[in-house]
Each structure stands twice: as structure tokens, then as C-alpha cells.
Amino acid sequence: MTVRTIGIIGGGQLGRMLAMAAARLNFRTVILEPQADSPAAQVANRQITAAYDDPAALAELAGLCDVVTYEFENVPVTAAEHLAKSVPVYPPPKALEVAQDRLTEKRFLNASGIETARFHAVDSQADLERALADFGGEGVLKTCRLGYDGKGQKVFRKGDPAAGAYAALGSVPLILESFVPFVREVSIIAARGLDGQVRCYDPTENVHRNGILHTSTQPAAITPETATAARAAATKLLDGLAYVGVVGMEFFVLEDGQLIANEIAPRVHNSGHWTEAACIISQFEQHIRAIAGLPLGDPVRHSDCVMTNLIGDDIDSLPAWLAKPNVLVHLYGKTEARPGRKMGHVTEILPFRD
């Protein structure tokens, strides 16, 4: 497969960073995104301004590109499957199908030998009440589809009323997940090439604020055995999906070091942004290498670091970050700061810990 032009579905910051990595490897990029002047289009060669499932736009994208990828997991599966009939699409549409539905995702992970929280499907108020009773009145209720960064969720503590909760979340298919007594949250960024080779970055420790990733720290405060288990789980996932590209996989870590898989993202991931500062090969370049059929790079980390998201008014702290030594600043080309909106990130390089 000879690749000269890469199509990217989605015009946000992840698409932007993919386009930048592609340009460094001499690839041209075409963005499919309904919003004009999107962050990704600002650094790409061309933007097709249309809906993600517009048939004419998909045909144009397929005609212009040698391979197509995507920057978010809510791309319509039907659009990805339609594209795949005329141009390679990576990661494969099957990965979208699994990741778009939390119930399907949990079942796939369990079938792959990867432990998750206990869960129940919830398709009615009666289902919810039975599920809560099984979990002692506690759990996290989530929409099966859509919802991210804390959206589409409701937390139940013992004694919280359940009345009306099913309707409050839209009377759509839901999943109730049991609480997990975790001591920290970690994630791993891994890649699988067209030849089946898998390369994993070091697991990173994550802290969330208001349901949105705040910081990712390297190294994570976990044992080598836990890190090895994270790599093994990511490899099972990638091989099980015949995956091509980069994936993000989030875990809860229990007191004894055991891992409980939380969710997967079939794309480059916010918790992997640190790789552009602390590794020679970033997650973005690794993804481009994978989908273009190039050899995967060495994911070794050359420094410790802390990546901090700039969310909403956090952008006002930019002068202070710019004044600090050993900080890589990456802004996303967004002109308006709004609460919860990711405006950029900074990664502070630190010396290796003794």
C-alpha cells in the first residue's frame, strides 16, 4: 500500500495533531468536518465541510485519500463501513462499533479476558431499580451511547432516590456499573501495525477534575507487575479487534495492584499527549505510521513529565506556563474559551526519578 494522502474524519484538536504529525512524514491530509475553519483544517491541506455521514462528502474523501482514519469514536459506523468498501479505514469499523456502546464494550472486554466493573443493562426504570438493589443501592448510571468527559452519567450513593432517573437520562439504553474501590486511575497508549506488531507506551497516572482529564503524570505510581498487566490487556484488545492504529485504554487500579478496565478509545487519546514531549515518537506519529503501513517507532520515554490540560479559563495561565523552563505548550487554534472546553495542553519535562 502506497500512501500519499490521509483522510481524517473530525476536525478537533486530535485531528489537528494527527495532521501535524502526518506533515512531518510528508503526507498530505484532508479533513472531513462540518465546522468551517476547524482546528484540524487550520494545519491540513484541505477540508471537506460536510456532515460525517454525507454520502457525497464520503465519496469525495475516498477519492482523494489512500487511507482514512478518525479522531473521535462517535463517527457513524455506517459511514466508516461505507468508506471501507472503497478505501482502507483504520482503526477498523469494528472498533467503532465496540467503543460506541458501553454495554457492547464491557461485554467485548470480558470476552477478551479483560476484567471490568460489574454491570447491568438498564432499559427501563424497573431494570434500574433491580440493578441498584443488586449493587447495594450504589453505582454509576451511564448512557450506553454518546456521552464523554462526565456527560450522560448519574452517580448513586446509598439512599439516593432512583425515581425518575431512567427518564432523566432520556429513556435510552443505559448501563449501571458497580463502584470500584480504586486507589488511582491509569491509562495506556498502545499501537498495532498492519503487520500485527504491538508497541505500548508506559502507563500514565491520570487525575480528573469535574469529569474531565486534568493531569497525566509519568511515571505512574504502580508496580512493574501492574504495568505489565496493562500492556498485556492492551495487546489482547488490539489483537482481538485486528486493530490498526493507536488506542487509549483506561483502568482503575485497586489497592493490590489489580487492574479493572474502565473504557477504551479507538483513537489517539488525551492521556497520551505527554508523548509529544517525553518520547521521540509521539502517539500521533505512531498512529500515522501504523495506518500508513510504516514501521512502528520505539515508544520509550526519555523523561518524566506532567501533562496538564488547559480547560476553559485555564488558558489565562498561559503566560505563566510560557515563563517556565522545560515546558512544551500546545494550543488548539480555538478562539473562544468556554467552561469545559479544551483549549490546549502543557507538558512539563522533569528529570527521571531515582
Side-chain angles (χ1 to χ4, degrees), residues 197 199 201 281 285-286 289 294-300:
Q197 181 187 33
R199 305 300 295 266
Y201 291 89
I281 307 299
E285 179 174 333
Q286 195 79 298
R289 286 179 177 227
L294 299 176
L296 298 184
D298 189 343
V300 67

Side-chain angles (χ1 to χ4, degrees), residues 247-271:
V247 72
M249 191 171 187
E250 299 180 2
F251 300 93
F252 299 118
V253 183
L254 306 187
E255 183 69 42
D256 63 0
Q258 180 185 353
L259 291 174
I260 303 294
N262 181 25
E263 62 182 29
I264 63 174
R267 53 172 171 80
V268 289
H269 195 259
N270 194 172
S271 69

Side-chain angles (χ1 to χ4, degrees), residues 81-165:
E81 291 174 337
H82 178 73
L83 271 173
K85 294 175 182 177
S86 52
V87 65
V89 175
Y90 301 127
K94 174 67 174 178
L96 281 176
E97 183 181 347
V98 168
Q100 284 182 359
D101 186 289
R102 289 186 172 94
L103 189 60
T104 302
E105 177 185 63
K106 289 286 191 295
R107 288 170 172 165
F108 182 85
L109 289 169
N110 288 172
S112 300
I114 300 169
E115 188 171 355
T116 66
R118 294 175 61 206
F119 60 90
H120 285 296
V122 173
D123 294 306
S124 67
Q125 182 66 31
D127 283 348
L128 173 59
E129 291 170 5
R130 283 191 292 268
L132 280 170
D134 186 42
F135 292 163
E138 297 185 327
V140 183
L141 184 66
K142 303 177 181 180
T143 55
C144 283
R145 302 182 70 85
L146 304 177
Y148 63 95
D149 287 345
K151 300 179 179 69
Q153 300 185 13
K154 179 175 174 56
V155 176
F156 286 94
R157 307 284 180 185
K158 284 185 179 178
D160 286 351

